[in-house]
């Protein structure tokens, strides 16, 4: 039942948080444990919002250019650095 609701929703993670909150209200636990569980769900939801904000932040063009150039040099120099340890096995 809950799985079908989550899979058909547009925002699956947000729906998971709401289902968890509903299940915490229905769970046969005492009120202190219920409050702790709801607090943990709320903290997870807030952290999710922070992560989505970070994910949607655009990277500056100079940063992406620098990163791509650094990775290009690093990946091309890596076989030479590994040659002494692995021999010809490190060259594809």
């Amino acid at each position: 039942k809950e799985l079908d609701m989550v899979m058909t929703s547009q925002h699956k993670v947000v729906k998971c948080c709401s289902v968890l909150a509903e299940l915490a209200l229905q769970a046969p636990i005492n009120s202190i444990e219920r409050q702790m569980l709801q607090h943990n769900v709320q903290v997870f939801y807030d952290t999710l919002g922070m992560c989505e904000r970070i994910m949607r932040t655009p990277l500056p063009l100079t940063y992406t250019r620098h990163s791509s150039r650094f990775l290009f040099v690093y990946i091309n120099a890596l076989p030479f650095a590994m040659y002494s340890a692995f021999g010809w096995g490190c060259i594809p």
Side-chain angles (χ1 to χ4, degrees):
K1 176 182 167 184
E2 289 90 5
L3 181 62
D4 293 332
M5 289 182 351
V6 169
M7 296 308 291
T8 57
S9 69
Q10 186 176 3
H11 302 285
K12 291 177 178 45
V13 180
V14 174
K15 188 63 176 177
C16 282
C17 288
S18 66
V19 167
L20 280 173
E22 290 174 14
L23 290 174
L25 291 173
Q26 297 171 359
I29 55 179
N30 62 30
S31 62
I32 295 172
E33 291 174 339
R34 183 173 291 118
Q35 287 176 351
M36 290 174 56
L37 187 57
Q38 286 178 337
H39 174 72
N40 288 337
V41 170
Q42 184 64 38
V43 168
F44 177 72
Y45 185 73
D46 293 341
T47 306
L48 173 70
M50 287 186 261
C51 291
E52 284 185 354
R53 193 174 330 125
I54 291 171
M55 185 180 73
R56 297 193 194 294
T57 302
L59 290 175
L61 184 61
T62 56
Y63 179 78
T64 57
R65 284 183 183 167
H66 176 71
S67 297
S68 65
R69 288 176 184 157
F70 173 78
L71 284 174
F72 177 78
V73 170
Y74 177 78
I75 289 174
N76 286 320
L78 192 60
F80 297 108
M82 295 173 55
Y83 180 75
S84 62
F86 297 105
W88 288 104
C90 66
I91 298 175

